[in-house]
Structure formats: structure tokens, C-alpha cells
């Protein structure tokens, strides 16, 4: 049987197996899910063994284990390192799911459940492609190293320690990742740029304790008012970020890149529909695609403090909090940006309050040329697997590991994403198109097969 007929004949088995993994609530941010994290790691290790990988190990880290496996029986052939993550985002708010987050089901040719698109469905694509190559040819045509981590969704905190201690073991000719999306349905895409991410939390303290707002209101500083004022000053009327030096190191898009990004088959109407707001906003002077992929942003992620329960409570709170983040583009330096953001916020604060400023995680931006011949192989495999023309895109999301690997090993990074922008990653009703899942397995199997002649 040839490769494609084999993977197509296995569809039902693949889907059924993926559902097993999706039923494990491996939420990396919650300590109560630690046993599930470990269960998911064991599950992944088992399936890697099943796909014919050797030296499969579950490697403990300071936080969550990573799973490693390899097959190095193709001397003289290229070696690739595949990276993905088995951890997922929390499923909350639970009541907004049509069916429970960890009880995967198919509706309208989409598989619903937390982790379907990000990233369990996508790692499964690679495991099944590798297994198919083993089954059909009896061996893998290239050398493969697989590393699947369990803390991507909390910033890949312990990963870098492992990588720096295992440089030799992880050495490869290329990094392959499926943790991104396609530009649109039917448009297979290779991502060559990601934004970096700094994530911050601030705590503003006014009075030493909560106060009666009638007795003290008018004289005591209110930390929520102060926080709201500071936040309002972080953007100007053109939606530019007011932090000094913030844009200093931003590499402007070249004319050619601007032209090619804006010529992609990207539909503003569809994007607007996905957003679902009355109108869009953003930095003046840039198209939406540019704003999303090649311009830095500052986003508020959460703000709280004071009384938020039922009914009224007259109080001046002692504390107010905000979580916010900056998405970064080449060549912004995360440490420098964090310094400038903190300095700016402290300057904006009145003397009436104290402020605790924390940087919770930090990751560099990435954009790389796609001239290496491996990209032509990837393009061709995607076009064969999906029967459609493939394109090169950038994206606004962040994958800390990709940047780190690119900086350390200077290898080509092939990001073939099989999600879609409207699949609700990180949100209720996350799903994965079954066409993309099965098309993904076909494409990746072909890609690995054809890499033998790179
Ligand atoms: N798979 C995403 C990254 C992604 C999403 C890239 C969409 C391109 C398009 C990844 O799991 C993720 O969510 N990353 C986080 C960063 C992390 C440090 C928490 C992100 O981008 O917010
Ligand atoms: Mn992901
Ligand atoms: Mn994610």
C-alpha cells in the first residue's frame, strides 16, 4: 500500500486515538492538573514508541516533564527536530462550551475540545505521519528527533535549561513545528515570523486597607482610579504606544515584504466576522495584516480590584491589579522593553500609591528567511496533501522555543500550521477542522518522505 492510501485508510483509528489524548485535562497552569500533565506525558511517550521511535524518555524538569524520542537510522540523510506541546490552556469559562471541553466530539466536520487545534491535534498529526512511514516502508527515510513539552502555555519556563544542557542531543538540520494556523480554510501556510511576548503584572496599593468610601472618599487615593488613568495613557490617539524608546529597534517592513504580505488571499471581511466587534481599531498607517504580524502591541489582559460581587459595596479598595502584555517584533529586545515599560509606568504614577511591577514571562520575536531548499519541500508536500496552493505568512502569536532554537542553532524552522484563525484556540468551543487534521497527516507524511532527497 502506498503512503497516502495507508494514512487515509487509518482515519477512524487516528481520530479515535486523538480523542483519548484530548480527554486528559493537561492544563499546565493549574497545580490540581499535575497528575493529568503526567498522564498526558506518558500517553505521548507511548505513542512515540508505537510510531517506532527509540530512546523514548519522559524527562522531568522543574515544572512539567517533556517527552523526547528519536530514530537515527538514516545515515547521510537529514535530521529534523520536531517540537510541539501536550499542555493546554484552562477551559474556563466552562458554561460557554457547547459540549464539555474535555469530552471531544465531532460536529460539522470539526473536532471540538480543548487542545484540538492548540496543540494536541497538531502533534498527533506528526506522530501518525511518522508511524505511517514506519509501517509502509519498514523504516524512517530520515533521522528524526521529537521533543514535546508540557509547559508551552505558561511560557516554556524550564525548557531552555534542558536545551542548553542537551545541545548535542538536539542538534538537527531543521526544526519542524505545527503550532500555528493556516491563513484561511483551503490555504495551507508556512509561517516565517512570530511575535515575541513580554507578560507583566502590576499591583497598585493606595490605602493600607480597604476603607469606607463615605468616610474616606474625597481624601484617600483610590488605586483603581490611578490604575485606570495610567492604562489610559499607554496609547495615544493614533493607537501608538507611548512608552519612550518602544519603537526604537523595530525593523520596518521592506517594500517587497509589505507587498507580498498584503497580497495574500486574506479576507478582511472574514477577520471582522471572527472578531465580532462593531469595528476594528489599531495603529494608524498600517494595514490590518501588518498590525497583526509585523507591528508591536500592548494589550491589557485583565484588570481587577475592589468589590466585584453582587449588589453594591461602598469601598475604597487598598489594591488594584492589572495583567498586560507586549507583543514584540524584530529587533525589539524583551529585556529592554520590560525596563522601559516599567520606567514609563512608574513615571506616570502619582506619589499617592505604591506599585509592584512583575515580568511574568519573556520571549523574543522571530522572523527568518525561507530560502533554504527545505521550504520548497514543505510547500510541495502541503500542496500535494491539500490539493491547493500554499503560501508564506507571518503570525502574531508567540512560540518561545522557536526563537530560542533559531538563535542557538541557526537552523531553518519550518512552521506548518494546521489550525485556522477562527478555531477558538484558548477560548470556549476550541475546534480543529477534520479536513486540516487528515490533510495535515498526509502532508507531513509526504514531507518527511521527501526530505530524504533534500
Ligand atoms: N500555538 C500558540 C502560538 C500561536 C498561536 C502562534 C497562533 C501563531 C498563531 C501557543 O500555544 C501560544 O498560545 N503561545 C502563547 C505564548 C505563551 C508564552 C503563553 C501566546 O502566543 O500567547
Ligand atoms: Mn500552541
Ligand atoms: Mn496556546
Amino acid at each position: 500500500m502506498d503512503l497516502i492510501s495507508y494514512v487515509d485508510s487509518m482515519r477512524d483509528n487516528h481520530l479515535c486515538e486523538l480523542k483519548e489524548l484530548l480527554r486528559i485535562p493537561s492544563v499546565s497552569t493549574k497545580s490540581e492538573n499535575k497528575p493529568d500533565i503526567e498522564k498526558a506525558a506518558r500517553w505521548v511517550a507511548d505513542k512515540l514508541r508505537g510510531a517506532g521511535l527509540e530512546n523514548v524518555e519522559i524527562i522531568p524538569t522543574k515544572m512539567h516533564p517533556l517527552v523526547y524520542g528519536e530514530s537515527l537510522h538514516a545515515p547521510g540523510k537529514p535530521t529534523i527536530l520536531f517540537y510541539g506541546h501536550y499542555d493546554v490552556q484552562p477551559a474556563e469559562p466552562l458554561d460557554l462550551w457547547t459540549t464539555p471541553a474535555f469530552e471531544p466530539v465531532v460536529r460539522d466536520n470539526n473536532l471540538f475540545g480543548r487542545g484540538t487545534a492548540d496543540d494536541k491535534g497538531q502533534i498527533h498529526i506528526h506522530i501518525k505521519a511518522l508511524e505511517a512511514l514506519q509501517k509502509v516502508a519498514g523504516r524512517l527515510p530520515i533521522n528524526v528527533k521529537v521533543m514535546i513539552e508540557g509547559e508551552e502555555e505558561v511560557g516554556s519556563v524550564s525548557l531552555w535549561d534542558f536545551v542548553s544542557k542537551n545541545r548535542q542531543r538536539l542538534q538537527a538540520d531543521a526544526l519542524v513545528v505545527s503550532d500555528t494556523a493556516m491563513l484561511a480554510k483551503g490555504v495551507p501556510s508556512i509561517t516565517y515570523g512570530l511575535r515575541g511576548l513580554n507578560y507583566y503584572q502590576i499591583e497598585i496599593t493606595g490605602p493600607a486597607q480597604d476603607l469606607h468610601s463615605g468616610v474616606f472618599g474625597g481624601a484617600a487615593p483610590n488605586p483603581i482610579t490611578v490604575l485606570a488613568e495610567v492604562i489610559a495613557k499607554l496609547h495615544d490617539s493614533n493607537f501608538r504606544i507611548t512608552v519612550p524608546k518602544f519603537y526604537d529597534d523595530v525593523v520596518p517592513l521592506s517594500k517587497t515584504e509589505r507587498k507580498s504580505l498584503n497580497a495574500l488571499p486574506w479576507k478582511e471581511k472574514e477577520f471582522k466576522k471572527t472578531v465580532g466587534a462593531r469595528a476594528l481599531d489599531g495603529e494608524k498607517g498600517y494595514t490590518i495584516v501588518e498590525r497583526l504580524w509585523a507591528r508591536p502591541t500592548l494589550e491589557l489582559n485583565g484588570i481587577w480590584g475592589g468589590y466585584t460581587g453582587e449588589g453594591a459595596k461602598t469601598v475604597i479598595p487598598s489594591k488594584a491589579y492589572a495583567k498586560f502584555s507586549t507583543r514584540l517584533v524584530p529587533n525589539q529586545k524583551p529585556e529592554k522593553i520590560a525596563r522601559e515599560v516599567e520606567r514609563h509606568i512608574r513615571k506616570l504614577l502619582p506619589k499617592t500609591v505604591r506599585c509592584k511591577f512583575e515580568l511574568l514571562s519573556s520571549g523574543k520575536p522571530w522572523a527568518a528567511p525561507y530560502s533554504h531548499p527545505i521550504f520548497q519541500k514543505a510547500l510541495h508536500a502541503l500542496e500535494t496533501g491539500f490539493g491547493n496552493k500554499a503560501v508564506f505568512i507571518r503570525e502574531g502569536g508567540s512560540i518561545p522555543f522557536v526563537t530560542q532554537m533559531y538563535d542557538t542553532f541557526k537552523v531553518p524552522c519550518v512552521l506548518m500550521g494546521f489550525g485556522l484563525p477562527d478555531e477558538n484556540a484558548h477560548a470556549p468551543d476550541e475546534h480543529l477542522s477534520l479536513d486540516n487534521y487528515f490533510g495535515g497527516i498526509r502532508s507531513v507524511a509526504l514531507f518527511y518522505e521527501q526530505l530524504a532527497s533534500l
Side-chain angles (χ1 to χ4, degrees):
M1 205 189 282
D2 76 6
L3 191 58
I4 295 301
S5 324
Y6 177 77
V7 295
D8 283 346
S9 74
M10 293 293 287
R11 282 171 169 237
D12 292 347
N13 302 52
H14 290 163
L15 187 55
C16 183
E17 186 180 288
L18 171 57
K19 285 182 182 170
E20 285 173 25
L21 177 60
L22 293 167
R23 285 191 197 100
I24 308 172
S26 47
V27 178
S28 47
T29 198
K30 294 190 184 181
S31 42
E32 70 193 65
N33 291 113
K34 186 72 183 167
D36 303 305
I37 281 278
E38 267 147 24
K39 193 170 166 192
R42 284 196 301 273
W43 191 95
V44 170
D46 263 5
K47 300 305 163 201
L48 290 184
R49 283 186 201 104
L53 293 177
E54 298 161 0
N55 304 322
V56 175
E57 261 187 82
I58 297 178
I59 299 159
T61 71
K62 280 198 195 101
M63 202 192 240
H64 299 320
L66 53 93
V67 186
Y68 179 84
E70 60 190 21
S71 169
L72 307 173
H73 298 294
K77 300 293 179 189
T79 302
I80 64 108
L81 173 65
F82 170 73
Y83 162 84
H85 62 96
Y86 66 79
D87 65 319
V88 296
Q89 289 269 327
E92 283 81 3
L94 300 180
D95 53 316
L96 294 184
W97 286 80
T98 307
T99 50
F102 296 106
E103 294 173 25
V105 284
V106 174
R107 283 195 299 276
D108 305 330
N109 210 32
N110 288 311
L111 177 61
F112 283 79
R114 173 57 85 234
T116 46
D118 186 10
D119 182 33
K120 288 172 171 175
Q122 300 208 53
I123 60 180
H124 199 243
I125 286 174
H126 286 260
I127 299 174
K128 293 298 110 178
L130 290 170
E131 186 186 70
L133 285 163
Q134 279 283 4
K135 289 265 150 71
V136 172
R139 52 175 212 96
L140 291 183
I142 54 168
N143 303 297
V144 176
K145 302 175 175 182
V146 174
M147 190 176 80
I148 300 179
E149 69 151 319
E151 43 185 70
E152 195 276 343
E153 297 292 6
V154 288
S156 300
V157 251
S158 6
L159 188 62
W160 197 238
D161 185 49
F162 174 77
V163 175
S164 38
K165 287 181 185 144
N166 291 274
R167 280 164 154 265
Q168 211 50 45
R169 172 142 69 147
L170 297 175
Q171 195 75 48
D173 300 306
L175 175 70
V176 177
V177 178
S178 287
D179 191 23
T180 49
M182 294 189 188
L183 184 69
K185 182 111 219 208
V187 189
S189 312
I190 298 173
T191 296
Y192 67 91
L194 295 165
R195 289 192 289 190
L197 177 73
N198 272 1
Y199 202 103
Y200 319 88
Q201 177 164 329
I202 51 177
E203 177 192 278
I204 308 285
T205 309
Q209 69 285 310
D210 287 9
L211 300 171
H212 189 296
S213 68
V215 179
F216 294 93
N222 187 318
I224 299 184
T225 310
V226 169
L227 179 61
E229 276 172 350
V230 168
I231 289 172
K233 285 179 187 149
L234 295 176
H235 289 92
D236 70 13
S237 58
N238 291 326
F239 221 78
R240 280 183 65 91
I241 294 148
T242 56
V243 176
K245 303 189 192 155
F246 188 82
Y247 294 96
D248 280 8
D249 302 320
V250 171
V251 181
L253 282 176
S254 70
K255 263 205 189 111
T256 18
E257 191 176 7
R258 241 186 150 166
K259 221 171 127 188
S260 67
L261 291 182
N262 287 302
L264 286 166
W266 181 88
K267 303 261 177 338
E268 182 165 335
K269 223 174 121 189
E270 269 174 44
F271 179 77
K272 275 191 175 144
K273 204 174 126 207
T274 307
V275 173
R278 293 179 60 182
L280 301 175
D281 65 11
E283 189 184 0
K284 209 170 154 186
Y286 296 91
T287 66
I288 295 169
V289 160
E290 291 165 1
R291 288 174 191 170
L292 295 172
W293 297 349
R295 297 298 297 170
T297 61
L298 185 153
E299 305 286 344
L300 267 295
N301 304 114
I303 164 167
W304 72 103
Y307 183 69
T308 55
E310 195 180 346
K313 181 187 185 209
T314 48
V315 63
I316 297 177
S318 166
K319 290 180 190 293
Y321 302 83
K323 287 183 188 283
F324 66 104
S325 50
T326 46
R327 295 277 169 182
L328 308 176
V329 301
N331 287 333
Q332 287 178 298
K333 316 265 176 306
E335 322 78 57
K336 174 173 167 188
I337 295 295
R339 257 197 327 272
E340 295 302 329
V341 168
E342 176 168 6
R343 184 183 317 201
H344 185 55
I345 286 183
R346 291 205 183 276
K347 246 199 197 130
L348 291 175
L349 286 169
K351 295 235 152 27
T352 51
V353 298
R354 273 174 294 144
C355 171
K356 183 167 142 198
F357 184 101
E358 285 175 283
L359 177 65
L360 300 187
S361 73
S362 188
K364 285 201 232 173
W366 169 75
Y370 45 86
S371 46
H372 190 282
I374 194 170
F375 290 100
Q376 285 313 311
K377 296 273 183 199
L379 213 59
H380 183 252
L382 285 169
E383 291 179 348
T384 315
F386 282 88
N388 281 321
K389 195 175 144 22
V391 295
F392 286 99
I393 63 171
R394 286 171 68 158
E395 288 202 79
S398 312
I399 309 174
F401 182 66
V402 171
T403 319
Q404 289 174 337
M405 283 302 287
Y406 186 75
D407 286 355
T408 315
F409 295 108
K410 297 281 175 302
V411 291
C413 302
V414 186
L415 274 61
M416 348 169 79
F418 300 108
L420 286 172
D422 63 355
E423 286 181 334
N424 299 336
H426 295 200
D429 282 349
E430 177 181 349
H431 56 281
L432 175 68
S433 148
L434 288 184
D435 291 340
N436 286 8
Y437 172 61
F438 295 125
I441 299 177
R442 275 200 300 272
S443 306
V444 172
L446 288 168
F447 177 54
Y448 287 152
E449 184 178 51
Q450 290 163 6
L451 279 186
S453 61
L454 186 69

